[in-house]
Amino acid sequence: MRILGIESSCDETAAAIVENGRVILSNVIASQALEHQKYGGVVPELASRRHCENILSVVQQALRDADMTLQDVDAIAVTFAPGLIGALLVGVSFAKGLALATGKPLIPVHHTEGHAAANYLLHPQLEPPYLALIVSGGHTRIAEVTDYTEFRTIGRTRDDAAGECFDKCARAMSFPYPGGLHIDLAAKEGNPQAFSLPKPKIEDSPYDFSFSGLKTAVVNMLHHADQCHEIIDRSDLAASLQENIASVLTEKTIAAAKEFGYTTIALSGGVSANSGVREKLSAACAAEGYTLYMPTIALCGDNAAMIASQGYYNYLAGITADESLNAMASKELHGESVNLTGRNT
Ligand code: KG4
Ligand code: ZN
């Protein structure tokens, strides 16, 4: 079964064709990052406008790259939640139009579930059940993946996502947007022990995260240094920040795996591109004898191949939509009933 995936939840307009949830036939991404860089972050209205301009040509390119026409596609999968509402609406409306015009099934996909599915595209042996650590600009979550479409969250951020913390600290350190990559590069030259940064503990929920205190500590340190005309070594601060985030993510994931009895862990999301996170989690999994799966760097960030992959499993589970499908800025994972608020879904 060949599924056309469409992704427009943030600042990447993406389309891809994936066969049977596992094999990428094409994967096209039009990134707006350079444009948003001027403003130091994503400007939602600008993102919607660019999606609107780019989506047709991105989908056409994905079909061309796979040497297919729309008639060869079996179903259309689209990210419907969570994300920037105006951005999501472009992909959802476009996918609905395509489904209506072609009579093909329409499959709604949760963006966070899509990130987890990125690993199916690279690791044929990966099958549920496993423990997922999904970390990006808007999401930080440890979840049990009990089946392809069944998720149970064990821990999530109470405030900022890890990627948001990387980006906001990077901005305060005058790195360009999106800052995560620049922190990663600078960290290679720095001393991870140079600065002692806070690691918050959440008493009643050991697997939840909180990154806003860390962000505030870094921003305050930079302001203080500025006022006192002191110079802070950006590489040392980047390395210390990265060390802090990587160890918090690793410690909580390994503890959750032990408590809930998982020996297979899958890392995904934009922050899974971070070299410090990859190294620390790999070393910890090796020490415990756990199997760790990670996407290649190209499939860590937002793409539509992961949406088409998760779309395939949604379709098999009977998760399809009709013309009433709407975009949602926030939405719980499939199989979960908790009503969450805030942006970190
Ligand atoms: O998954 P993604 O592309 O979009 C969301 O769903 O949010 O993730 C983007 C996030 C940004 O915060 C970006 O700074 C971060 O992933 N990121 C990184 C790295 N590459 C991307 N963070 C740390 N180190 C990296 N190498
Ligand atoms: Zn994402």
Side-chain angles (χ1 to χ4, degrees), residues 6 13 50-60 90-91 94:
I6 295 176
T13 318
R50 291 297 169 266
H51 287 312
C52 200
E53 288 163 15
N54 294 336
I55 195 152
L56 177 60
S57 59
V58 166
V59 168
Q60 284 174 328
V90 176
F94 193 86

Side-chain angles (χ1 to χ4, degrees), residues 2 17 25-26 61-69:
R2 290 160 169 194
I17 317 269
L25 302 182
S26 66
Q61 189 62 45
L63 287 167
R64 266 199 302 276
D65 289 357
D67 204 13
M68 285 166 59
T69 67

Side-chain angles (χ1 to χ4, degrees), residues 62-108:
L63 287 167
R64 266 199 302 276
D65 289 357
D67 204 13
M68 285 166 59
T69 67
L70 210 45
Q71 280 65 44
D72 306 319
V73 167
D74 296 302
I76 295 144
V78 63
T79 305
F80 77 106
L84 300 172
I85 194 70
L88 285 165
L89 281 168
V90 176
V92 168
S93 305
F94 193 86
K96 276 164 70 165
L98 278 186
L100 195 68
T102 58
K104 315 268 180 187
L106 177 66
I107 310 166

